[in-house]
Amino acid sequence: VSVRVAAGPVYYFDGQFVAQDEVMQRLFALHQQNPGIKVSISAEPMAMHGDVIEVLDKVRNAGITKVGYQIRTAPSTTGGPH
């Protein structure tokens, strides 16, 4: 399951919007359906760091232990590598 965090915070599970107050319920249901489920967390550039950490905490509280992160290199502001 892919969880994307956008500014707001706004959450998407496999591309479908999930209201903030339904995130925990959705994670519990996913874990109940498949105890070995893997969650991949990503964040849009304007998402707040704390909102991403909050989702990670909820994933762990739901009992999900297989967690991956989609991380992209930030664009360089100087135009070249350091």
Side-chain angles (χ1 to χ4, degrees), residues 4 8-9 14-15 17 20 24 28 41 48 51 58 64 66 69 80:
R4 187 179 73 212
D14 288 337
F17 170 78
Q20 186 174 4
M24 196 70 218
F28 274 126
I41 300 173
M48 299 296 290
D51 295 334
K58 288 180 179 183
I64 299 170
K66 296 179 181 179
Y69 307 96

Side-chain angles (χ1 to χ4, degrees), residues 9-58:
V10 177
Y11 303 99
Y12 297 92
F13 282 51
D14 288 337
Q16 291 187 334
F17 170 78
V18 175
Q20 186 174 4
D21 61 345
E22 296 176 7
V23 170
M24 196 70 218
Q25 178 182 349
R26 178 72 61 97
L27 290 168
F28 274 126
L30 289 168
H31 182 257
Q32 188 173 31
Q33 292 169 7
N34 179 2
I37 195 165
K38 181 177 180 183
V39 173
S40 176
I41 300 173
S42 65
E44 293 183 359
M46 296 306 292
M48 299 296 290
H49 178 76
D51 295 334
V52 177
I53 297 301
E54 183 177 333
V55 167
L56 175 58
D57 288 343
K58 288 180 179 183

Side-chain angles (χ1 to χ4, degrees), residues 74-82:
S76 174
T77 57
T78 62
H82 290 117

